[in-house]
């Protein structure tokens, strides 16, 4: 099975980057993985812009050449990051790939609520394309399911510690995924 993974590995070291690193490590044990980094941080503006173009190129190339069965990404809760997420969801909007969104932090709904109405509609439309959303707790699941695109599409994968690959066994009746 081919899995496209999109997120940030350390540095910086935080829960999101460590979780992504562990997920990729676990998936590499039994799948063909294409990892795309999403960190555009750099002290040099030109280098940051270059990293954005590298990201766009890799996403487009993954669609044409790699053709993943599963897309596992960590969504953003910032304006720039959400544009990056939208690009991914737009490129794969008509694909048969299973799309899994790993949500870190409980402020995604706050972010969506604070966006302008037209952008909020775009976000919600493309988030409705996601097959499975992974949350860290029951309270996050309940919060996310208040928005229609997430209704009945949220599973819980509790906090983890590194090197705990069994936490990434995610299945959907319609689209089997067996890491």
């Amino acid at each position: 099975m081919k899995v496209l993974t999109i997120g940030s590995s350390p540095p910086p070291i935080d829960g999101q980057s460590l979780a992504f690193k562990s997920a990729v490590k676990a998936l590499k044990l039994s799948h063909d993985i294409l990892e795309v980094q999403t960190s555009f941080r750099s002290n040099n503006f030109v280098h940051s812009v270059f990293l954005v173009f590298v990201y766009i190129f890799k996403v487009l190339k993954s669609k044409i050449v790699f053709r993943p069965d599963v897309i596992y990404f960590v969504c953003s809760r910032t304006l720039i990051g959400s544009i990056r997420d939208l690009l991914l969801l737009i490129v794969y909007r008509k694909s048969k790939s299973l799309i899994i969104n790993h949500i870190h932090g409980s402020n995604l709904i706050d972010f969506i609520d604070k966006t302008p109405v037209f952008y909020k509609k775009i976000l919600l439309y493309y988030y409705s394309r996601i097959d499975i959303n992974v949350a860290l707790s029951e309270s996050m699941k309940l919060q996310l399911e208040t928005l229609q695109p997430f209704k009945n599409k949220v599973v819980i994968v509790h906090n983890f510690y590194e090197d705990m690959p069994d936490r990434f066994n995610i299945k959907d009746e319609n689209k089997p995924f067996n890491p």
Side-chain angles (χ1 to χ4, degrees):
M1 180 176 297
K2 293 180 179 182
V3 182
L4 172 63
T5 61
I6 298 180
S8 296
S9 292
I13 295 176
D14 55 31
Q16 182 171 317
S17 65
L18 290 174
F20 179 74
K21 176 183 150 194
S22 291
V24 169
K25 182 178 177 183
L27 291 169
K28 280 183 179 177
L29 296 175
S30 57
H31 299 293
D32 187 9
I33 300 291
L34 175 61
E35 182 179 353
V36 176
Q37 291 293 320
T38 59
S39 181
F40 308 137
R41 295 182 190 119
S42 176
N43 293 334
N44 182 318
F45 175 76
V46 173
H47 186 248
S48 291
V49 171
F50 172 75
L51 293 174
V52 170
F53 282 107
V54 167
Y55 171 79
I56 293 168
F57 173 77
K58 285 184 176 182
V59 167
L60 294 172
K61 182 180 176 186
S62 74
K63 172 78 173 179
I64 297 165
V65 178
F66 187 66
R67 294 186 279 175
D69 302 302
V70 176
I71 299 164
Y72 169 82
F73 79 105
V74 180
C75 76
S76 179
R77 297 166 319 271
T78 66
L79 181 61
I80 298 296
S82 69
I83 294 169
R84 177 201 70 215
D85 295 345
L86 282 176
L87 172 70
L88 171 71
L89 295 172
I90 289 167
V91 167
Y92 281 96
R93 77 182 174 276
K94 293 190 179 198
S95 84
K96 294 182 181 181
S97 301
L98 176 72
I99 300 177
I100 301 172
N101 172 25
H102 198 149
I103 302 164
H104 271 263
S106 60
N107 59 347
L108 179 63
I109 290 179
D110 293 337
F111 164 70
I112 292 171
D113 284 343
K114 291 178 183 173
T115 61
V117 174
F118 77 94
Y119 190 65
K120 180 178 180 176
K121 287 181 180 187
I122 293 169
L123 281 174
L124 293 177
Y125 173 79
Y126 281 102
Y127 281 154
S128 71
R129 169 62 181 98
I130 296 169
D131 298 298
I132 299 172
N133 293 281
V134 176
L136 300 175
S137 67
E138 185 65 36
S139 63
M140 280 181 68
K141 177 182 179 179
L142 293 173
Q143 180 190 29
L144 287 166
E145 287 183 336
T146 62
L147 289 176
Q148 189 56 42
F150 300 104
K151 194 87 150 158
N152 302 319
K153 291 183 176 186
V154 181
V155 297
I156 299 172
V157 176
H158 294 283
N159 282 332
F160 77 105
Y161 59 89
E162 285 191 85
D163 300 323
M164 197 170 156
D166 63 314
R167 293 289 189 175
F168 297 98
N169 279 332
I170 300 167
K171 296 178 183 167
D172 177 19
E173 305 87 44
N174 302 322
K175 297 180 182 181
F177 174 58
N178 300 310

